Amino acid sequence: MSSPAERYAAARRRAAQASEFPALDEFALQVGFDLDDFQRESCQALERGSGVLVCAPTGAGKTVVGEFAVHLALRGTPAPPAADGPAPARRKCFYTTPIKALSNQKYHDLVERYGAAQVGLLTGDNAINGDAPVVVMTTEVLRNMLYAGSATLDGLAYVVMDEVHYLADRFRGGVWEEVIIHLPASVTLVSLSATVSNAEEFADWLVTVRGETAVVVSEHRPVPLWQHMLVGKRMFDLFHDADAARKHDVHPELLRYTRDTLRRLEVGDGRGGGAGWGRRGPRWRGPLRPDIVDRLDREGLLPAILFIFSRAGCDAAVQQCLAAGLRLTSPEERAEIRRVVESRVTAIPGEDLSVLGYWEWLDGLERGLAAHHAGMLPAFKEVVEELFVRGLVKAVFATETLALGINMPARCVVLERLVKYNGEAHVDLTPGEYTQLTGRAGRRGIDVEGHAVVVWSPETDPRHVAGLASTRTYPLRSSFRPSYNMAVNLVGSVGVEPARALLESSFAQFQADRSVVGLARQVQRNTETVEAYAVEAECHHGDFDEYFGLRVAIADRERSLARQGQHQRRAQAVTALERLRVGDVIRIPSGRRAGLAVVLDPATGGFGEPRPLVLTQDRWAGRVTPADFTTPAEVLARIRVPKHFNHRSPAARRDLAAQVSGTGLDRRGSRRSRGRGTGEDHRLTLLRDELRRHPCHACPDREEHARWAERRRRLERDTEELRQRVAGRTGSLARTFDRIVALLTAKGYLTADGTVTDAGRMLGRIWSEADLLVAECLRAGVWDGLAPAELAAAVSVVVFEARRDTDERASLPRGAVADAVDETLKLWSGIEAEEAARGLAVTREPDLGFAWPIYRWARGEALAKVLASGHQVDGEMPAGDFVRWARQVVDLLGQLADSGGASTELRATARQAIAAVNRGVLAYHATA
């Protein structure tokens, strides 16, 4: 805390600066609290006319700087000296955010301050007062405006890019760079970011593309954050004091206790309140979730967010707390919760509410408990957010998506694990992710301090947690790459060569070029080291380079033979799987599904390698691939499979699996194929003979020489890779752009002289990850003649992407939908082949998993039936996923309805399909 004298001096300084920054002085009076130093410094830079990059922790108050840009825009230019002169000019400010929820939240905040007439909102779902002087929007909306040359951009003076660090997002990050590059030079950019370690590098790039940009970095948290670890029933401080935290020194008592606990687990003596022996050794039973919440309640640490990196885990946690009889609310709070909930769900049909688990959800809310994840209905999530912010819900079990965007702080944050599933594998949390999650702890103006608690398990090292909590290295890496839509828009607006220059001014190219300097230095150092290794490898018996070359050739030949054997075995496995018929009993030789299995559906008529559907004797049903077979699948017996066998029925699986086990083949092994020698074996023998005859083979120091020669060879290979990276990074985006332009020219979207054709203009209005595939479908008339529900199902395959790989291809409505999807797959296959041939990233394969749900929904079927038809690994499709993907289908249908490349009939059908989809829970979401 500063002394009275220091506060007085600071007030004097601010008073002296008031005349220099009159707009800031006005703004400071309006906000009603003293601005922090970083906020004041950022606002002063803005009032001087400079752009600004603000990097500060979550909850530090970065958005105040964005709100000052709004104030400057509404304030207008200074009035002329003459009293009868014109009124100050009104300027515009766009406030962009990465997600719709954050846009909605910011819109309501600004409306509350400036009034509904001054503020507008533009997202994929909402368009409110779009001509207002201040408009809140998602970043994609602004990108689309820039390409379309929208008149809404007239008078634009400021653009606030909230959460600008999203440009590192591998799926959507490129949009931020597109906006930054294409904004008119007259626009002042306000970039708000989480704390990143390369803020100066990012600011240097902003200076090159936007002009003067001040960079303001603050690592200070307004509310101090204390780190803890919960071990069983005991809570420990992670650090003894602030000095220990700076040095990453874990509290000695915590280290002693966790080591003692691990030692007890290893000896398996069953002590320690949860240690014991399982079938595979000792196991640890950590504190139960209801006990954790109860502990937080008793210690005054609620409201709390408990992060569980699993949707099912979040829902289960609420049920566990309910089953334990946990209640965190008073009767008055329960009455208010029910009032809020009932007022917010009135638009959702009653029959849908029961399908969505409304009563169980309401029971949890009334007890102060809730889950929050992407699988929930958006309306339910919004209610949870409102009740939590109002202090009515005390404990929220959430996935990491809650840490992004919306303002939902807590007094305490709990991390159940430090590992999460990233869509491909289970990976450790990064320091940046840990800070983002725990940054929610500590409500400014409410809490004196925030608390972060990590639940200990035997796999959790307190020193690792200390590193996560103390590390401040979060580099911002560009994910920008040219797309087909971007290419035609750029070429259409500025021409081919200027478009290449624009791409070369991206942050991605800026980082690549900077990295080249370091790579070139490394190449030089490696070259000098290679020369030193060559001296060490010299041999007085003869030419050791020649001798070592023979050793390398022998090793290469041995690897080649091994690969040939693998290819031969795989080809045999493919052939064997293609010959299987329904009822064949085979043996899966290894892996999780090892054992006997019966074929339910042969591998015919599919795409790529054969993937027959089988049922194992352990009752698992799914598709197998050649990779599951180390030896060719051999038919051991045949059994009868019922004609209409339903492999999703547990009873049917049990009965048929019993027949498989009853064949008596359990202990019988299959014949193993034996590899045969090839002509290559003779060549290998000759090389070995030549090696033994070489003079250097007799050198007593040959292995020492060989070690130096191997180091030299390895370093030469690494150095050549570095040289290729240097060459590849210089102008890499421009080369990718050239390849895209060549493909678009070959397909008729651009002419040879770089003119955009009618087809190209149509492509330029398609905003989709599969933009070129959508355009090809329109040109080929793939979706013409479909009914509204059929069109919704057909277009869904180019937007939907399953969360996890499924074992089998989803089924489709028969007839027109199946035909349209087949044509779409053929077009995709052609695009993929051309992309691969030109060295471009390939367009993602269409995913059929959402076709049935959206088809049934558009036909008016009940929500329960629709969700049950979702192609999911773990049962029916979550309501939140259904709404999100349905909104994306509606978005693409809207593009078709407005497309100049679609037929009049197709545009009309697209509008009918939108009306058919926007009902029930979708109607609520569209208007909420």
Side-chain angles (χ1 to χ4, degrees), residues 274-292:
W277 283 96
R279 286 183 301 170
R280 297 183 179 179
R283 64 179 180 269
W284 165 259
R285 298 188 190 94
L288 299 175
R289 290 159 177 167
D291 294 340
I292 294 176

Side-chain angles (χ1 to χ4, degrees), residues 137-149:
M137 62 185 68
T138 50
T139 315
E140 279 86 353
V141 170
L142 179 52
R143 185 270 309 272
N144 298 353
M145 280 186 185
L146 290 167
Y147 281 145

Side-chain angles (χ1 to χ4, degrees), residues 462-485:
R463 289 165 297 189
H464 174 63
V465 180
L468 289 175
S470 308
T471 303
R472 291 289 179 267
T473 54
Y474 326 122
L476 193 59
R477 296 283 175 242
S478 172
S479 61
F480 180 81
R481 65 179 179 87
S483 67
Y484 300 110
N485 168 283

Side-chain angles (χ1 to χ4, degrees), residues 95-225:
Y95 197 111
T96 73
T97 74
I99 57 177
K100 294 172 186 175
L102 189 55
S103 291
N104 293 333
Q105 192 175 66
K106 181 51 64 176
Y107 166 73
H108 292 299
D109 290 346
L110 293 176
V111 165
E112 188 174 341
R113 175 173 295 181
Y114 298 108
Q118 299 277 48
V119 186
L121 175 67
L122 295 174
T123 68
D125 297 333
N126 289 299
I128 304 170
N129 200 14
D131 294 325
V134 177
V135 184
V136 184
M137 62 185 68
T138 50
T139 315
E140 279 86 353
V141 170
L142 179 52
R143 185 270 309 272
N144 298 353
M145 280 186 185
L146 290 167
Y147 281 145
S150 171
T152 312
L153 296 167
D154 295 342
L156 182 61
Y158 297 93
V159 166
V160 180
M161 303 197 81
D162 204 351
E163 312 279 355
V164 74
H165 53 273
Y166 255 75
L167 66 79
D169 184 87
R170 66 189 182 116
F171 298 111
R172 300 171 55 215
V175 175
W176 274 255
E177 288 187 52
E178 289 181 70
V179 169
I180 292 170
I181 292 169
H182 298 331
L183 277 174
S186 59
V187 175
T188 299
L189 189 66
V190 182
S191 304
L192 310 179
S193 171
T195 309
V196 293
S197 57
N198 60 334
E200 287 75 15
E201 179 189 40
F202 184 48
D204 288 347
W205 173 68
L206 288 174
V207 169
T208 65
V209 293
R210 302 298 317 163
E212 183 183 357
T213 303
V215 56
V216 180
V217 178
S218 173
E219 299 234 12
H220 173 69
R221 273 184 56 95
V223 181
L225 179 64

Side-chain angles (χ1 to χ4, degrees), residues 130-410:
D131 294 325
V134 177
V135 184
V136 184
M137 62 185 68
T138 50
T139 315
E140 279 86 353
V141 170
L142 179 52
R143 185 270 309 272
N144 298 353
M145 280 186 185
L146 290 167
Y147 281 145
S150 171
T152 312
L153 296 167
D154 295 342
L156 182 61
Y158 297 93
V159 166
V160 180
M161 303 197 81
D162 204 351
E163 312 279 355
V164 74
H165 53 273
Y166 255 75
L167 66 79
D169 184 87
R170 66 189 182 116
F171 298 111
R172 300 171 55 215
V175 175
W176 274 255
E177 288 187 52
E178 289 181 70
V179 169
I180 292 170
I181 292 169
H182 298 331
L183 277 174
S186 59
V187 175
T188 299
L189 189 66
V190 182
S191 304
L192 310 179
S193 171
T195 309
V196 293
S197 57
N198 60 334
E200 287 75 15
E201 179 189 40
F202 184 48
D204 288 347
W205 173 68
L206 288 174
V207 169
T208 65
V209 293
R210 302 298 317 163
E212 183 183 357
T213 303
V215 56
V216 180
V217 178
S218 173
E219 299 234 12
H220 173 69
R221 273 184 56 95
V223 181
L225 179 64
W226 295 98
Q227 306 277 347
H228 311 280
M229 182 162 275
L230 181 61
V231 188
K233 295 183 179 180
R234 293 193 58 180
M235 183 89 80
F236 294 88
D237 290 336
L238 185 61
F239 304 112
H240 178 65
D241 52 29
D243 187 54
R246 283 191 292 273
K247 297 177 181 178
H248 303 194
D249 290 341
V250 178
H251 199 300
E253 187 180 354
L254 169 60
L255 280 178
R256 276 196 301 273
Y257 190 81
T258 53
R259 285 169 181 162
D260 290 346
T261 304
L262 278 174
R263 197 174 299 116
R264 288 197 298 271
L265 287 170
E266 287 168 2
V267 299
D269 62 5
R271 294 176 303 182
W277 283 96
R279 286 183 301 170
R280 297 183 179 179
R283 64 179 180 269
W284 165 259
R285 298 188 190 94
L288 299 175
R289 290 159 177 167
D291 294 340
I292 294 176
V293 175
D294 185 57
R295 172 75 176 268
L296 297 177
D297 187 26
R298 285 187 282 108
E299 298 199 9
L301 294 180
L302 296 181
I305 300 172
L306 298 92
F307 284 108
I308 300 173
F309 304 124
S310 156
R311 297 177 178 186
C314 293
D315 293 332
V318 174
Q319 294 303 315
Q320 289 159 12
C321 291
L322 295 179
L326 205 59
R327 188 182 297 278
L328 306 172
T329 52
S330 66
E332 294 76 17
E333 288 174 326
R334 289 195 288 277
E336 178 64 9
I337 288 168
R338 181 175 283 268
R339 188 195 65 76
V340 171
V341 171
E342 290 177 347
S343 68
R344 295 293 296 272
V345 301
T346 52
I348 302 176
E351 64 271 17
D352 289 351
L353 287 177
S354 58
V355 173
L356 297 168
Y358 169 77
W359 299 108
E360 295 85 352
W361 173 69
L362 177 59
D363 184 25
L365 291 178
E366 289 185 330
R367 298 194 194 193
L369 302 158
H372 189 289
H373 56 73
M376 292 172 62
L377 190 71
F380 285 15
K381 281 201 299 179
E382 291 164 15
V383 170
V384 171
E385 291 160 14
E386 178 182 344
L387 294 176
F388 188 79
V389 169
R390 291 179 56 180
L392 295 170
V393 165
K394 319 290 184 179
V396 170
F397 297 93
T399 55
E400 74 274 16
T401 52
L402 180 58
L404 304 173
I406 57 174
N407 181 29
M408 202 170 149

